[in-house]
Amino acid sequence: MNQEELLIAKSLEGDMKSFETLVNLYKDKIYSFLLKMTLSKEDSDDLLQETFICVYKNLYKYNDKWKFSTWIYKIATNLLKNYWKKNKRLRTRELSQFPLDDLYNDSNNPEIKYENKENCLQILKILNELNYDYRIAFVLKYVKDLSIADIANITGTSPENAKMRLYRARKKICNEFKKYQKELNAYEM
């Protein structure tokens, strides 16, 4: 029995310290995922809390034939989807308030920093406008580095469908970013 299985078993017996340890193992990963999806610290905090409440209430339903991480992501994804439907504002998030420093702060040259920040903002804008299914597949694959099989399990689709969503998300992002760069180049001339 590995550490995770032991923590689950003890949590099911009522050991709150074990459940707290489980939460600590996954909270940063789930929060990071939720933040990339909502672009809001407040919304991510709320969804993270709801995720672990659901995990606690439904831990007895966990089937160890799946990875525990996949199961938690599936719960977070389901909550996010419901939240997404209820809150249209998530689709039109003001991106300038999103903390980008870690994404583009790779140069001491102010011009390059500015250009990198603008490119990051544009990519986030494109990502923010993606269809929910494409966006979630993209974030799970390229931000959270999950496998196609895990993405399929989390989203409740086949691996082929998960691949297609990734393909379409990449294509849309690339096409929209190329348009942005053409417009930028035309403006600079």
Side-chain angles (χ1 to χ4, degrees):
M1 188 178 275
N2 67 30
Q3 179 198 10
E4 200 171 80
E5 292 169 344
L6 185 61
L7 290 170
I8 292 167
K10 285 185 173 185
S11 296
L12 287 169
E13 293 170 1
D15 182 355
M16 290 308 292
K17 283 285 187 199
S18 294
F19 184 73
E20 186 178 324
T21 304
L22 271 177
V23 169
N24 288 332
L25 284 173
Y26 287 98
K27 72 179 180 184
D28 292 339
K29 294 174 188 172
I30 299 297
Y31 180 78
S32 170
F33 163 69
L34 292 169
L35 185 60
K36 302 294 186 300
M37 290 299 295
T38 65
L39 303 178
S40 164
K41 290 180 180 183
E42 294 81 18
D43 292 335
S44 298
D45 286 337
D46 292 345
L47 286 165
L48 181 69
Q49 186 174 12
E50 284 183 55
T51 298
F52 284 106
I53 289 170
C54 282
V55 168
Y56 183 75
K57 287 180 177 178
N58 295 292
L59 193 57
Y60 71 95
K61 294 179 183 177
Y62 169 66
N63 185 337
D64 61 3
K65 75 176 185 177
W66 296 300
K67 288 195 270 182
F68 190 67
S69 60
T70 302
W71 187 70
I72 290 178
Y73 274 108
K74 187 167 185 72
I75 290 171
T77 300
N78 288 338
L79 289 168
L80 181 64
K81 193 169 196 171
N82 291 336
Y83 198 71
W84 188 277
K85 287 177 185 175
K86 290 178 188 174
N87 297 291
K88 304 273 188 218
R89 66 185 173 82
L90 291 179
R91 297 179 195 161
T92 57
R93 175 79 59 212
E94 177 55 49
L95 297 176
S96 62
Q97 297 173 4
F98 189 71
L100 294 171
D101 293 340
D102 294 338
L103 298 176
Y104 68 86
N105 197 5
D106 59 353
S107 174
N108 291 329
N109 182 327
E111 286 180 44
I112 293 174
K113 268 187 167 179
Y114 177 78
E115 186 177 314
N116 288 346
K117 180 179 180 180
E118 291 303 309
N119 287 340
C120 283
L121 278 171
Q122 186 59 33
I123 290 169
L124 280 174
K125 181 178 179 237
I126 295 166
L127 187 61
N128 197 35
E129 293 170 356
L130 275 181
N131 166 299
Y132 175 83
D133 293 329
Y134 298 168
R135 182 177 179 177
I136 201 154
F138 186 86
V139 170
L140 288 171
K141 178 65 179 166
Y142 296 108
V143 178
K144 303 314 295 174
D145 199 30
L146 296 181
S147 70
I148 297 294
D150 287 342
I151 294 168
N153 284 334
I154 290 167
T155 59
T157 63
S158 67
E160 292 77 20
N161 192 311
K163 284 181 188 177
M164 182 56 70
R165 288 177 180 182
L166 284 169
Y167 170 77
R168 289 179 178 163
R170 283 190 313 263
K171 186 175 179 180
K172 175 83 172 165
I173 290 169
C174 289
N175 289 341
E176 292 298 318
F177 192 72
K178 284 178 187 175
K179 276 191 221 174
Y180 163 75
Q181 288 190 317
K182 275 186 182 177
E183 290 171 8
L184 192 63
N185 289 338
Y187 176 74
E188 290 176 351
M189 292 182 165

